[in-house]
Amino acid sequence: MFIQFFYTLRDVGIPVSPTSFLLLQRAMGEGLVNSLDDFYTAARAILVKSEKHFDLYDQVFAHTFEGADLAQAGEAEFDLVAAGLLDEWLNNPKRLAHALGLDEKKLASMSPEEVLAYFKKRLQDQKERHEGGSKWIGTGGTSPVGHSGYHPGGMRVGGESMNRSAVKVAGERRYRDYSTDGPLSRRSLGEGLKRLRHLVPQGVRDRINVDDSIYQTIKNGGEIELVFERATVDRLKIILAIDNGGWSMEPYVDVVQALFALARTQFKELTTLYFHNTIYDQLWEDASRSRRPVAVDDLIRRDPESRLIIIGDASMAPYELLAADGSIHAFERSGRPSIERLRLMAATFPHAVWLNPIPQRDWQFTRTIELIRAILPMFELSLDGLDKAVAHLMRR
C-alpha cells in the first residue's frame, strides 16, 4: 500500500488527489506496472499535473523508495483517504467510478455510508498477505512492489532487501530547472521572463480589429463576424532597486539585471537603481554607487502608479535599519533611520514588493528581515515568488 507515498507527496505541496492515487493503484492492479521504472513514470504521469512539481516528485520518490522501508498505513490514514474519495465522488461520480473500474450506477445506488465503507475496503485490499503473483503488493513472486522476491525494479515494502537494483533516476534531479522554488538562476531566466510578462495592464476587448473581422467574414462566406481586441494601453513604469553591495547578493545581481533587461521592451519605462543593504536618502544609477545619485525625495515625486520592486537579502545589523545615520558608509549621513525611508516609499508606491533570495523558511531568524517585511510585502526571489509578487503588483 502506498498511502505513505501519497501523503508525502501532499505534505511537500504537490496537489495529489485521492482519485489520481486510486487510478494509479488500478493501473498497478491491472498489471500495467511491471517494474520500478514503470511505477516511476506512471506515478508521475497520473499524480503530478504540472512539470514545476517534477523535481519535487523526484526528491520524494528517492526519499521514499531508495532503500527505505515503507510504513504500513494505519486505520486513521485509510479513513482520511476514503473520506477524500467520498468528497470526489460527490463532485464527480463518473470520474471516480472510472478510476475504480466500476459501473457508476452501482455506486450511485449506495448510501454515502455504504460508499465510504466500500472505498475503505478497496483501499485496504492490498493489506492482505499473498504469496507469489505479479500484481499489487505481495511477498515473493515478481511483483514490482513486494519484498523477499525479485524484480528488476527492486522496490521493496517491508522485509529485508534481497536485491539491490533500485532505479537511480529520481536521484539525478533531472527536472531541477523546472522547479519553482530555490533562488532564480540563469537557467531559469526563460521561466522568469514568462512571469514578468504578466506585468501588463489588462483591459476589456472593446475595439474592433478591422483586418481580422474582414478575414473571418470572408471565411464565413459573407456572414459578418466582428473580432474584438483590447485597446492599446500604456505599459507599466517599473522602478527596480537592487542591493549590490555585499557578497551575499553577488550571485543574484547579474541574474536580476539580465531578467529585467530581457523584459525591458514590455515596460513603458524601466529605472534601475542600486543600494547597499537598505535605503537611506538616496540610491544610485550606476552599479559602483559612486556617481549619479538619485534622491529618495525625488523618487517619490514620480508617478505613484509605478511598480516598485526592491531586491535584496534584507540581512544586516539592526542598527543599519533602525539608527539615525545607520549606514556603514561614512559619506552616507541622513540623520534619519532607514526604516522611516522604507515606510515613506511603501506609502508612496501602493504597488511595491521586496524580493528576497533567502528562502522564506529562514526569514524568521533574521530580525531585519522581519522588520522590513512588516513594511513591504516580501516574496522569495524564485519562480514561485516571482509569480506571487507579480500577482500582488497587479492587484487593483
Side-chain angles (χ1 to χ4, degrees), residues 203-213 226-232:
V204 296
R205 296 182 183 273
D206 58 357
R207 188 178 70 174
I208 295 177
N209 185 313
V210 176
D211 291 340
D212 285 353
S213 296
L226 299 179
V227 178
F228 290 88
E229 64 182 8
R230 293 186 179 92
T232 302

Side-chain angles (χ1 to χ4, degrees), residues 77-87 115-116 119-120 123:
E77 291 173 308
F78 283 112
D79 288 341
L80 285 171
V81 178
L85 289 171
L86 179 60
D87 287 340
V115 173
L116 188 63
F119 288 159
K120 187 174 177 182
L123 288 168

Side-chain angles (χ1 to χ4, degrees), residues 198-199 201 236-241 260 299 302-310 342-355 375-379 388-396:
H198 294 295
L199 275 175
L236 297 175
K237 296 178 182 179
I238 304 292
I239 301 172
L240 178 65
F260 279 86
L299 193 65
R302 300 192 184 188
D303 184 359
E305 288 302 306
S306 297
R307 269 55 176 180
L308 173 63
I309 303 173
I310 303 176
L342 295 180
R343 288 185 181 126
L344 176 62
M345 295 177 76
T348 303
F349 299 103
H351 305 290
V353 296
W354 187 297
L355 293 175
I375 300 170
L376 289 158
M378 187 176 288
F379 304 92
K388 295 173 184 176
V390 167
H392 182 85
L393 289 169
M394 296 311 300
R395 288 193 315 178
R396 293 185 178 180

Side-chain angles (χ1 to χ4, degrees), residues 10 19 39 50 70 85 91 115 124 126 151 168 184 212 226 231 233 242 284 288 293 301 310 320 341 372 376:
R10 295 189 64 157
T19 299
F39 179 80
S50 172
L70 289 179
L85 289 171
N91 291 327
V115 173
Q124 290 175 321
Q126 294 186 63
H151 194 283
K168 300 300 181 184
L184 198 65
D212 285 353
L226 299 179
V233 294
I242 305 173
W284 285 265
S288 64
R301 295 191 185 100
I310 303 176
E320 293 182 68
R341 282 307 196 187
I372 290 174
L376 289 158

Side-chain angles (χ1 to χ4, degrees), residues 71-109:
Q72 292 296 323
E75 292 298 316
E77 291 173 308
F78 283 112
D79 288 341
L80 285 171
V81 178
L85 289 171
L86 179 60
D87 287 340
E88 293 203 21
W89 165 251
L90 295 174
N91 291 327
N92 195 334
K94 186 174 182 179
R95 180 185 176 198
L96 190 52
H98 174 72
L100 286 164
L102 292 175
D103 184 358
E104 182 182 348
K105 294 180 180 179
K106 177 179 179 180
L107 287 179
S109 65

Side-chain angles (χ1 to χ4, degrees), residues 358-365 380:
I358 295 176
Q360 185 171 354
R361 63 179 178 271
D362 297 331
W363 291 355
Q364 59 182 313
F365 304 116
E380 285 186 355

